[in-house]
Amino acid sequence: MHFEVVHVSRGDIRLKSRDKLVRVLGEALISSTPTEPSYVIYLNSLNNWDMPPDVALTETEKQEIIRAIRKYFQDRDSVVEFE
């Protein structure tokens, strides 16, 4: 399954995979140096798909979402933290 980050806001990141959508809660940060995180992801919010609703994410899907988010920030020379 391939995930693509489609929207990043101050409080969440939305990703899609084909016709499925997922929302991950987080928080944009103001970093004072390039090595400090510019975003923190709340892993406890990574539970269900938004579309289709109320369908649980598998552990494999969660790991792929994390990889997609990490790559998104790496491509922009930014640091993301997961907690």
Side-chain angles (χ1 to χ4, degrees), residues 3-72:
F3 286 90
E4 175 189 356
V5 173
V6 292
H7 182 75
V8 177
S9 72
R10 293 184 318 178
D12 68 5
I13 295 178
R14 295 173 191 266
L15 301 96
K16 74 174 185 173
S17 179
R18 295 189 201 134
D19 58 342
K20 295 181 176 182
L21 299 171
V22 68
R23 177 179 178 229
V24 183
L25 299 179
E27 187 174 346
L29 306 171
I30 299 172
S31 56
S32 58
T33 67
T35 58
E36 290 183 352
S38 60
Y39 209 96
V40 62
I41 299 293
Y42 302 130
L43 291 174
N44 63 351
S45 72
L46 196 52
N47 297 313
N48 296 319
W49 289 98
D50 271 5
M51 188 57 66
D54 301 320
V55 175
L57 291 161
T58 67
E59 193 57 40
T60 301
E61 290 168 336
K62 291 178 184 181
Q63 292 303 315
E64 292 198 22
I65 290 167
I66 291 168
R67 273 194 287 278
I69 292 171
R70 188 172 279 128
K71 181 177 180 340
Y72 176 88

